[in-house]
């Protein structure tokens, strides 16, 4: 994998790890929530730690039991791809929700 050092992805993720909220990062960089979530996922998938936070779960509109089902699917299938989890959930959680829940899953990894 390419080094993320000095990249926008690393910049966003380090600000997040330092306590910045997703909303504040969206405002700072003038990008959508999806873009911030993608940066954070790419950072975490590059074997970098993300701080677990209430902020991540707060981004999800899914009911708690659905959040748990999605997290179980990620634990079983891994976090690299969203489609297997989307298929496992029979489309009950859309891709925006899966991006959020993937970050929750990735932030739990050591």
């Amino acid at each position: 994998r390419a080094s993320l050092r000095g990249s926008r992805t690393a910049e966003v993720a380090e600000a997040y790890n330092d306590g910045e909220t997703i909303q504040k990062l969206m405002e700072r960089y003038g990008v959508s929530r999806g873009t911030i979530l993608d940066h954070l996922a790419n950072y975490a998938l590059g074997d970098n730690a993300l701080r677990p936070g209430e902020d991540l779960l707060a981004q999800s509109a899914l009911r708690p039991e659905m959040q748990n089902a999605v997290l179980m699917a990620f634990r079983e299938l891994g976090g690299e791809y969203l489609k297997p989890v989307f298929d496992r959930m029979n489309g009950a959680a859309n891709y925006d929700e899966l991006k959020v829940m993937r970050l929750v899953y990735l932030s739990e990894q050591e």
Side-chain angles (χ1 to χ4, degrees):
R1 292 186 190 259
S3 168
L4 295 173
R5 231 187 279 285
S7 70
R8 172 60 55 93
T9 291
E11 196 178 309
V12 167
E14 285 159 11
Y16 174 80
N17 279 341
D18 287 342
E20 201 69 70
T21 65
I22 289 170
Q23 187 63 42
K24 284 261 192 295
L25 291 167
M26 288 165 54
E27 292 163 13
R28 180 189 308 172
Y29 295 105
V31 296
S32 71
R33 183 178 87 147
T35 298
I36 296 298
L37 296 178
D38 287 343
H39 280 306
L40 295 177
N42 289 334
Y43 184 79
L45 288 167
D47 292 328
N48 298 292
L50 269 188
R51 78 172 160 89
E54 292 300 310
D55 188 43
L56 286 178
L57 260 185
Q59 296 289 317
S60 173
L62 295 175
R63 293 185 329 277
E65 55 274 18
M66 180 60 86
Q67 290 177 347
N68 288 333
V70 171
L71 280 174
M72 285 180 58
F74 275 119
R75 288 178 189 129
E76 195 177 314
L77 300 167
E80 198 153 355
Y81 301 104
L82 296 176
K83 181 144 178 40
V85 176
F86 181 82
D87 291 344
R88 170 71 54 87
M89 302 311 299
N90 294 316
N94 67 34
Y95 278 95
D96 284 343
E97 287 292 342
L98 292 181
K99 283 182 176 186
V100 171
M101 296 310 297
R102 171 169 65 181
L103 284 177
V104 173
Y105 161 75
L106 291 170
S107 73
E108 295 172 348
Q109 309 307 301
E110 281 306 314

